C-alpha cells in the first residue's frame, strides 16, 4: 500500500517536472524572426571606429575568418568536445552575411544567442560572455561590420556535431540549464573603482577570457564557483591555466604595469604568452588602449586567489636518487637549451624567459611544458615587441627518455622543486598529439 503510494507520488512528480521542462523548451523554440527594421540604419564615423576597436577586443575576426578566407566571411571551425561548430558570415553580404540584419537582430544574437530567424545558437559562439555587452557597444560593432567590412558571398558551413548534441532539443535544454541573458539593469559592484568595473565588463564580456580559462562540466558549461580556475582546451593538448591559482596563472602578485604590458605585448618579466594565448594577444589584446589594458589588469589582479603558493626556491638541487638521470638531463639541457635560457635557467630579460620559478615549467599540469618543448613556441609579434624570439621544436631531436631526463632536470635544478614526471606521462601526451619521434 505504502510502496504504491510512493511510486505514484514519484510518477506524478516526474510527470510534473517533465511538463515543466517541455513547457520551457517549447518557449525556447518559440522565438522567431524580429520585425523588419523601420528606419534605415546610419552610423557616425566615430561609432564605426569604436566598433572596430571593440570587435578587436572580442576577437570577432579570429573566429569568423577562415584560414586564407575573406575577412569576417566565416567558415572557421570552433572545436568542441561534441564536434565542430562553424562560425558564420558576418560580412554585409545580403544573401549570405548580415546585410539584411537590423541592429536589433545583431544585438539579440550577442545578448540572447539567437540568429536572425530565431534559431538558437551554439555556445561555441561565446554569447554566454557577450550577453553582457551593452546595446551601445553592440551597435558600434554592427556599424563597423556594415560600413567597413567588404561584403563576401560565402554560404555558412553546416556544423558537424555528434548525436545528440546536434539536436535543437539538446541545445534548448542546455540553454535552460546554463544560459540566462544578462540583466542590463542589474547593479554592478558599487564598492569597486571605475577601472575595476571597466575591467570586469571587458574581461567577463567582450574579451571572454573565461571561455578558455574557466573550468567546465561534462556538458561544456562553466562550473559554479570555478570561474577562471583553469581548463584543458577541447582537443586536450593545451591547458589554459587558472587565473586564480598562485602556482598557475594568477597575476595577483604582478605589478599592475606588467600585467597591462603583458596584455599589450605578450611579454613580461614573469613569462611570455605562447600557443592559443599568443593568438589572443596577437589578434586582440595588443590593440587595447592603455586605459583599457590597465582596467583589465586591475580586475585580473583583484581576482581572489583560491589556491597554490608563490614559488620559493628550494635550497637542495636534484635529489641523489635522481643523480644519473639528472646528469643526463643536465648534459642535454646544456646542449639544447642553455644557449637561450642560460646555464642556470636565468634567461635574458625580454628575449628568453627564465626557467627558474617559471610556472609553465613547474605547474602540476604538464601539457603546456610538453607542448612548448615538442612543438616550439612563438610569442606574438606586437607593436610593443615587434620581433619576438621564437623557440624551436624538439620533437624530432629528443626521444621520450631523453626528454623526460631533461625536463626533470629543469623541474629540479637551480632551486626549482616540482615533482618528477614519468616517461608514461610524456608518451601519453606525445601519442595524443601525434608528433613523430626521432
Ligand atoms: C570563439 C569563437 C568566436 C568568437 C570569438 C566570436 N564568434 Fe561569433 N560565432 C562563432 C560561432 C562558432 C558561431 C556559429 C554558432 C551557431 O551557428 O550556432 C558564431 C555566430 C555568430 C553570429 C550569428 C551568425 C548567424 O548567421 O546566425 C553572430 C552575429 C556573431 N557570431 C557575432 C560575433 C561577434 C560580433 C563577435 C565579436 C564580438 C564574435 N561573433 C566572436 C564563434 C565565435
Ligand atoms: C583561446 C583560449 C584562451 C583565451 C580566450 C584566453 N586565454 Fe589566457 N591562456 C590560454 C592558454 C592555453 C594559456 C597557456 C599558455 C601561456 O602561458 O601563454 C594562457 C595563459 C594565460 C596567462 C598566463 C600568463 C603567464 O605567463 O603566466 C594569463 C595571465 C592569461 N592567459 C590571461 C588571459 C586573459 C586576461 C584573457 C582574456 C583577455 C585570456 N587569457 C584569454 C588560453 C586562452
Ligand atoms: C633559440 C632559443 C631557444 C632554445 C634553444 C630553447 N628555447 Fe625555450 N624558449 C625560447 C623562447 C624565445 C621562448 C618564449 C616563446 C614564446 O613566448 O612563445 C621559450 C619558451 C620556453 C618555455 C615556456 C616559458 C614560459 O615563460 O612560459 C619553456 C618551458 C622552454 N622554453 C623550455 C625550453 C627547453 C627545455 C629547451 C631545450 C630543450 C628550450 N626551451 C630551448 C627560446 C629558446
Amino acid at each position: 500500500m505504502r510502496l504504491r503510494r510512493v511510486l505514484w507520488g514519484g510518477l506524478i512528480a516526474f510527470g510534473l517536472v517533465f511538463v515543466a521542462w517541455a513547457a520551457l523548451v517549447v518557449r525556447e523554440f518559440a522565438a522567431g524572426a524580429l520585425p523588419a527594421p523601420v528606419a534605415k540604419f546610419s552610423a557616425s564615423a566615430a561609432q564605426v571606429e569604436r566598433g572596430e576597436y571593440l570587435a578587436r577586443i572580442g576577437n570577432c575576426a579570429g573566429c569568423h575568418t577562415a584560414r586564407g578566407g575573406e575577412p569576417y566571411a566565416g567558415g572557421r571551425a570552433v572545436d568542441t568536445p561534441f564536434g565542430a561548430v562553424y562560425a558564420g558570415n558576418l560580412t554585409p553580404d545580403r544573401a549570405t552575411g548580415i546585410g539584411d540584419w537590423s541592429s536589433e537582430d545583431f544585438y539579440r544574437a550577442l545578448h540572447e544567442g539567437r540568429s536572425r530567424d530565431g534559431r538558437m545558437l551554439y555556445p561555441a559562439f561565446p554569447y554566454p560572455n557577450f550577453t553582457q555587452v551593452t546595446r551601445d557597444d553592440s551597435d558600434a560593432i554592427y556599424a563597423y561590420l556594415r560600413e567597413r567590412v567588404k561584403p563576401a558571398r560565402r554560404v555558412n558551413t553546416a556544423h558537424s556535431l555528434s548525436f545528440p548534441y546536434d539536436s535543437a532539443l539538446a541545445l534548448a535544454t542546455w540553454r535552460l540549464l546554463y544560459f540566462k541573458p544578462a540583466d542590463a539593469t542589474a547593479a554592478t559592484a558599487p564598492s569597486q573603482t571605475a577601472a575595476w568595473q571597466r575591467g570586469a565588463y571587458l574581461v567577463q564580456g567582450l574579451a571572454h577570457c573565461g571561455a578558455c580559462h574557466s573550468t567546465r562540466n561534462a556538458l561544456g558549461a562553466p562550473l559554479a564557483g570555478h570561474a577562471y580556475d583553469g581548463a584543458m582546451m577541447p582537443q586536450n593538448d593545451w591547458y589554459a591555466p587558472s587565473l586564480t591559482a598562485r602556482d598557475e596563472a594568477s597575476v595577483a602578485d604582478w605589478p599592475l604595469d606588467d600585467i597591462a604590458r603583458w596584455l599589450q605585448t605578450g611579454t613580461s618579466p614573469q613569462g611570455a604568452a605562447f600557443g592559443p594565448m599568443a593568438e589572443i594577444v596577437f589578434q586582440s589584446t595588443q590593440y587595447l588602449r592603455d586605459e583599457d589594458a590597465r582596467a583589465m589588469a586591475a580586475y585580473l589582479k583583484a581576482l581572489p586567489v583560491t589556491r597554490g603558493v608563490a614559488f620559493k626556491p628550494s635550497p637542495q638541487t636534484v635529489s641523489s636518487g635522481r643523480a644519473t638521470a639528472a646528469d643526463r638531463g643536465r648534459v642535454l639541457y646544456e646542449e639544447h637549451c642553455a644557449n637561450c635560457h642560460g646555464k642556470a635557467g636565468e634567461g635574458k630579460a625580454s628575449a628568453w624567459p627564465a626557467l627558474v620559478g617559471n610556472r609553465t615549467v613547474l605547474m602540476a599540469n604538464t601539457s603546456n611544458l610538453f607542448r612548448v618543448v615538442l612543438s616550439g613556441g612563438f610569442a606574438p609579434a606586437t607593436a610593443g615587441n615587434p620581433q619576438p624570439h621564437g623557440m624551436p621544436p624538439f620533437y624530432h631531436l629528443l626521444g621520450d627518455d631523453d626528454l623526460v631526463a631533461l625536463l626533470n632536470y629543469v623541474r629540479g635544478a637551480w632551486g626549482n622543486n616540482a615533482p618528477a614526471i614519468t616517461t608514461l606521462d610524456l608518451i601519453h601526451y606525445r601519442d595524443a598529439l601525434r608528433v613523430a619521434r626521432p
Side-chain angles (χ1 to χ4, degrees):
M1 218 31 211
R2 180 131 183 265
L3 180 68
R4 211 194 258 168
R5 216 178 311 145
V6 168
L7 281 176
W8 270 110
L11 204 62
I12 290 169
F14 177 78
L16 286 175
V17 168
F18 181 79
V19 167
W21 169 76
L24 288 166
V25 163
V26 166
R27 210 186 55 183
E28 278 293 283
F29 277 103
L34 292 170
V38 229
K40 203 193 163 302
F41 163 80
S42 71
S44 69
Q47 195 184 22
V48 168
E49 201 171 302
R50 202 163 63 85
E52 175 170 27
Y53 174 68
L54 294 168
R56 284 208 155 120
I57 300 183
N59 193 21
C60 316
C63 285
H64 284 272
T65 307
R67 189 175 289 217
E70 300 279 340
Y72 287 105
R76 179 169 170 170
V78 176
D79 290 311
T80 76
F82 320 109
V85 184
Y86 291 86
N89 185 341
L90 299 185
T91 73
D93 182 63
R94 293 192 58 181
T96 61
I98 62 162
D100 272 348
W101 289 44
S102 66
S103 60
E104 186 70 37
D105 294 330
F106 189 77
Y107 177 65
R108 186 172 68 159
L110 296 187
H111 192 70
E112 292 175 38
R114 283 186 189 276
S115 189
R116 177 159 189 254
D117 58 8
R119 176 176 68 90
M120 292 170 278
L121 295 166
Y122 283 96
F125 164 38
Y127 65 81
N129 299 92
F130 294 162
T131 184
Q132 303 202 18
V133 172
T134 61
R135 178 68 201 250
D136 212 34
D137 281 356
S138 170
D139 284 356
I141 298 172
Y142 172 79
Y144 162 69
L145 293 170
R146 291 292 299 262
E147 303 282 314
R148 282 285 164 78
V149 173
K150 205 173 95 215
R153 185 140 305 190
R154 203 198 64 85
V155 177
N156 286 341
T157 312
H159 306 322
S160 57
L161 291 160
S162 53
F163 180 81
Y165 308 107
D166 56 348
S167 77
L169 197 65
L171 181 53
T173 307
W174 192 95
R175 285 166 54 100
L176 272 181
L177 290 172
Y178 304 119
F179 175 66
K180 216 166 131 222
D183 178 358
T185 61
T188 43
S191 59
Q192 300 283 0
T193 61
W196 184 96
Q197 314 255 13
R198 173 75 179 160
Y201 171 71
L202 291 174
V203 169
Q204 294 173 4
L206 259 191
H208 63 280
C209 309
C212 293
H213 284 279
S214 288
T215 316
R216 275 155 204 279
N217 67 15
L219 291 175
L223 265 184
H226 289 271
Y228 307 112
D229 200 15
M232 285 305 294
M233 291 187 56
Q235 305 92 326
N236 282 334
D237 46 6
W238 287 102
Y239 176 63
S242 168
L243 303 179
T244 60
R246 273 223 161 75
D247 48 358
E248 295 198 1
S250 162
V251 291
D253 299 330
W254 294 20
L256 191 86
D257 285 338
D258 285 1
I259 309 170
R261 217 183 124 64
W262 180 83
L263 287 167
Q264 291 173 312
T265 65
T267 61
S268 80
Q270 292 81 1
F274 57 93
M277 194 63 224
E279 195 179 320
I280 295 294
V281 173
F282 181 70
Q283 299 262 20
S284 172
T285 60
Q286 70 158 312
Y287 298 101
L288 285 170
R289 293 186 189 126
D290 290 346
E291 67 274 16
D292 280 343
R294 292 180 65 82
M296 281 171 68
Y299 174 77
L300 293 167
K301 191 171 165 60
L303 280 176
V305 178
T306 55
R307 59 190 167 91
V309 285
F311 173 73
K312 256 208 228 85
S314 288
Q316 99 285 359
T317 46
V318 183
S319 72
S320 55
R322 272 152 71 183
T324 37
D327 285 343
R328 182 144 147 247
R330 182 175 48 73
V331 170
L332 288 165
Y333 178 82
E334 283 168 5
E335 182 184 342
H336 293 291
C337 324
N339 267 347
C340 295
H341 291 287
K343 221 168 158 186
E346 73 279 14
K348 189 160 173 264
S350 77
W352 296 292
L355 301 184
V356 177
N358 186 301
R359 295 187 291 187
T360 305
V361 169
L362 300 171
M363 239 188 314
N365 185 317
T366 49
S367 304
N368 296 351
L369 176 60
F370 290 160
R371 180 67 185 250
V372 76
V373 175
L374 288 171
S375 311
F378 300 91
T382 58
N385 186 25
Q387 286 181 311
H389 294 270
M391 154 120 177
F394 286 91
Y395 71 90
H396 57 306
L397 292 174
L398 295 166
D400 295 334
D401 289 334
D402 278 350
L403 205 50
V404 166
L406 187 154
L407 291 180
N408 278 336
Y409 172 73
V410 172
R411 275 163 71 93
W414 326 302
N416 278 352
N417 48 17
I421 49 177
T422 68
T423 313
L424 214 60
D425 296 336
L426 177 68
I427 289 178
H428 187 73
Y429 188 83
R430 198 166 185 152
D431 288 347
L433 202 63
R434 298 209 195 92
V435 284
R437 293 186 164 79

